[in-house]
């Protein structure tokens, strides 16, 4: 009689549910996973090493390209590290703008996660629903920075520019015309703050639609309930953070425990799971979108009532206004020096962390007093989470591996760096 042995198979990197470039070598016993070995490094671009050869400001754009679904949150950690070493603090209005855009980014990230994870597990419609709202928030990114994804909007000492007083409108086309065009542009008649007011008033109803499609859905629950259970102890042993930790019942959120920007002034709750399975993590992320919506509304209210500067008036670190450059030779020199040579950061080391949508994203920065980092290391949450793959999926079926990769919310830009 022939001996039945385990066999090894590759899951990814071409598999659509591998979320980019994950190669997972699975040892299978029939349909059951005996061992999972993640192979990473297929998207390694040497970001941290490249930062050592560029002035500080020129690496802000590289941060966007790490976790390319939560762009401004990555910038925030890097910019905070530079500000700590420089000993400067952004103006209050800039801090509120950062808080607001961190939460807009969190919603963007969770919408992408919800749509793609549902698609991985066989729910087609949710993907189309979530991208409807992503499109509206991408317009906000574009309005402040000119780019829909890689914004480079946060700068040491504040943000690149103040919020615009108008939003771009849809033009008449074969797809948008007549009453449809009026409806599409109805939110865009006023300033960006008016637009965000309209969006945040409408968004909870949209989240209700996602929940209607998934939360009570029998197939969705069969694919997620009791799958990938992570106990609080295991979550801590693997250095998990963000939703992976909160889904297991540990109420840890840097926005509450170590507040930065203006989170100390915000009124919001930390959603926490009870069972630590894929379904709990889904519920936590959906609840987080509702909380982010609350924070954005509070920021919009404050920003309406409190105009002011959005970047420090220190021309060694921040460029002078364009009008001053046209009239003042000294301002012109400052501008030229800043964009060609940059600024020297006092020697020292620091670690600045923020509560990114995927977990704790931190930048460990060492300066030797030059105009570029001596060393930069990014603490990516996805890297720590992926390490636990073998422990979590062992004993599950092959189809559950897809659910587990989805629940980690992996983006390989930050894992491989």
């Amino acid at each position: 009689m022939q001996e039945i042995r385990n066999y090894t198979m590759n899951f990814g990197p071409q598999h659509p549910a591998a979320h980019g470039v994950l190669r997972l070598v699975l040892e299978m016993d029939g349909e059951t996973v005996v061992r999972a070995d993640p192979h990473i490094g297929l998207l390694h671009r040497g970001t941290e090493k490249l930062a050592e050869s560029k002035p500080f400001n020129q690496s802000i754009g590289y941060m966007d390209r790490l976790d390319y679904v939560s762009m401004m949150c990555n910038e925030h950690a890097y910019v905070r590290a530079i500000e700590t070493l420089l000993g400067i603090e952004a103006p209050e209005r800039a801090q509120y703008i950062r808080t607001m855009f961190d939460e807009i980014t969190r919603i963007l990230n969770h919408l992408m996660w919800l749509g793609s994870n549902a698609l991985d597990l066989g729910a087609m419609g949710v993907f189309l629903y979530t991208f409807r709202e992503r499109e509206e928030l991408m317009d906000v990114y574009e309005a402040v920075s000119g780019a829909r994804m890689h914004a480079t909007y946060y700068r040491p000492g504040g943000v690149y520019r103040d919020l615009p007083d108008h939003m771009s409108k849809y033009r008449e086309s074969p797809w948008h015309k007549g009453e449809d065009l009026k409806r599409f542009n109805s939110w865009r008649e006023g300033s960006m703050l008016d637009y965000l007011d309209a969006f945040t008033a409408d968004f909870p109803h949209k989240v209700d639609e996602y929940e209607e499609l998934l939360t009570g859905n029998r197939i969705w629950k069969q694919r997620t309930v009791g799958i990938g259970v992570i106990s609080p102890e295991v979550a801590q042993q693997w250095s998990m953070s963000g939703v992976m930790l909160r889904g297991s019942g540990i109420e840890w959120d840097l926005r509450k425990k170590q507040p930065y920007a203006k989170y100390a002034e915000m009124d919001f709750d930390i959603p926490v799971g009870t069972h630590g399975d894929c379904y709990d993590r889904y519920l936590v992320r959906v609840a987080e979108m509702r909380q982010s919506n609350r924070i954005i509304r509070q920021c919009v209210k404050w920003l309406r009532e409190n105009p002011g500067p959005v970047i420090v008036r220190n021309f060694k670190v921040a460029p002078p206004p364009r009008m001053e450059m046209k009239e003042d030779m000294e301002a012109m020199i400052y501008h030229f020096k800043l964009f060609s040579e940059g600024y020297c950061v006092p020697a020292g080391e620091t670690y600045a962390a923020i509560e990114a949508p995927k977990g704790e994203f931190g930048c460990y920065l060492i300066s030797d007093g030059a105009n570029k980092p001596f060393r930069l290391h990014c603490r990516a949450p996805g890297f720590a989470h992926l390490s636990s793959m073998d422990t979590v999926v062992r004993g599950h079926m092959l189809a559950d591996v897809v659910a587990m990769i989805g629940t980690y919310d992996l983006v390989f830009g930050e894992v491989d760096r």
Side-chain angles (χ1 to χ4, degrees):
M1 187 176 170
Q2 190 180 355
E3 186 187 349
I4 299 169
R5 288 179 300 174
N6 293 351
Y7 61 96
T8 304
M9 65 178 286
N10 278 315
F11 183 98
Q14 288 86 359
H15 196 287
H19 287 251
V21 289
L22 169 65
R23 178 180 173 222
L24 202 56
V25 181
L26 298 173
E27 190 181 326
M28 307 292 295
D29 177 11
E31 275 282 298
T32 308
V33 179
V34 177
R35 184 166 174 272
D37 185 15
H39 286 222
I40 61 167
L42 296 166
L43 195 59
H44 172 62
R45 294 164 294 180
T47 302
E48 294 157 336
K49 197 69 187 167
L50 283 166
E52 292 173 23
S53 61
K54 289 179 168 49
F56 284 91
N57 271 20
Q58 289 182 22
S59 292
I60 299 172
Y62 276 106
M63 296 300 124
D64 286 315
R65 290 158 176 82
L66 288 175
D67 176 359
Y68 42 78
V69 187
S70 12
M71 294 72 65
M72 289 199 198
C73 287
N74 306 335
E75 294 175 23
H76 201 167
Y78 178 65
V79 163
R80 279 190 70 221
I82 297 171
E83 286 173 351
T84 307
L85 289 178
L86 282 172
I88 61 173
E89 195 173 323
E92 196 173 16
R93 185 174 173 83
Q95 300 272 23
Y96 270 96
I97 291 173
R98 285 180 181 181
T99 305
M100 182 174 81
F101 270 97
D102 276 10
E103 296 310 308
I104 288 172
T105 306
R106 196 175 312 279
I107 291 177
L108 279 170
N109 181 91
H110 287 350
L111 287 174
M112 167 68 94
W113 172 83
L114 186 60
S116 59
N117 192 26
L119 197 61
D120 289 344
L121 300 185
M124 288 287 294
V126 188
F127 187 78
L128 305 172
Y129 279 64
T130 56
F131 269 69
R132 177 187 58 189
E133 275 70 64
R134 265 180 71 82
E135 208 57 35
E136 288 165 355
L137 288 178
M138 284 292 188
D139 289 346
V140 177
Y141 256 54
E142 189 174 7
V144 291
S145 70
R148 287 169 63 78
M149 280 185 68
H150 304 308
T152 324
Y153 180 56
Y154 294 4
R155 304 289 163 91
V159 293
Y160 165 54
R161 61 181 175 194
D162 207 346
L163 305 177
D165 53 9
H166 68 280
M167 290 291 290
S168 57
K169 293 181 181 176
Y170 287 103
R171 293 179 186 162
E172 189 160 342
S173 72
W175 300 277
H176 301 130
K177 54 188 175 187
E179 287 302 313
D180 268 354
L181 184 66
K182 280 183 189 168
R183 184 168 54 81
F184 274 117
N185 284 333
S186 59
W187 290 2
R188 299 163 183 268
E189 299 298 338
S191 67
M192 180 194 278
L193 292 175
D194 296 330
Y195 179 83
L196 282 169
D197 251 347
F199 176 86
T200 50
D202 181 59
F203 187 62
H205 307 302
K206 298 291 195 275
V207 180
D208 292 341
E209 288 179 11
Y210 315 147
E211 290 223 61
E212 202 173 320
L213 286 166
L214 290 178
T215 306
N217 185 314
R218 183 162 50 90
I219 303 170
W220 178 254
K221 290 176 90 165
Q222 284 170 346
R223 291 300 308 270
T224 55
V225 173
I227 303 298
V229 177
I230 300 173
S231 68
E233 296 74 37
V234 169
Q236 287 175 311
Q237 284 162 7
W238 285 102
S239 301
M240 289 183 181
S241 54
V243 174
M244 295 301 295
L245 196 58
R246 293 192 287 276
S248 296
I250 298 174
E251 194 179 319
W252 178 261
D253 190 318
L254 293 182
R255 295 172 297 170
K256 286 277 193 190
K257 306 295 183 187
Q258 298 168 12
Y260 55 94
K262 284 293 170 187
Y263 282 110
E265 271 76 59
M266 296 293 133
D267 174 31
F268 66 102
D269 303 316
I270 304 174
V272 176
T274 49
H275 303 104
D277 58 5
C278 290
Y279 188 68
D280 265 17
R281 289 187 283 274
Y282 152 74
L283 292 174
V284 168
R285 285 190 175 101
V286 169
E288 273 192 11
M289 287 198 281
R290 296 186 191 275
Q291 296 304 322
S292 294
N293 201 59
R294 275 176 70 189
I295 295 172
I296 295 168
R297 284 189 80 78
Q298 292 167 56
C299 290
V300 168
K301 183 175 183 293
W302 190 93
L303 288 164
R304 272 190 198 287
E305 296 162 1
N306 298 276
V310 294
I311 197 161
V312 291
R313 196 173 165 79
N314 174 356
F315 297 154
K316 285 276 195 327
V317 179
R322 194 54 71 175
M323 287 308 294
E324 285 185 34
M325 280 170 55
K326 288 182 167 63
E327 298 166 359
D328 180 14
M329 185 63 194
E330 199 174 343
M332 188 74 181
I333 294 166
Y334 270 127
H335 186 275
F336 176 76
K337 290 284 279 180
L338 180 65
F339 282 95
S340 57
E341 187 183 282
Y343 45 82
C344 291
V345 171
E349 56 186 293
T350 187
Y351 175 74
I354 58 126
E355 186 67 38
K358 292 172 171 60
E360 179 182 328
F361 181 88
C363 279
Y364 176 60
L365 187 65
I366 303 177
S367 170
D368 57 359
N371 67 334
K372 48 179 81 89
F374 175 69
R375 285 287 182 276
L376 170 68
H377 177 67
C378 297
R379 192 265 180 208
F383 184 75
H385 297 159
L386 186 60
S387 328
S388 68
M389 177 65 81
D390 181 44
T391 309
V392 179
V393 302
R394 198 173 282 198
H396 282 68
M397 306 292 272
L398 177 60
D400 300 331
V401 175
V402 175
M404 201 58 222
I405 294 171
T407 196
Y408 278 138
D409 196 4
L410 293 166
V411 161
F412 280 84
E414 63 161 16
V415 174
D416 292 342
R417 297 192 288 288

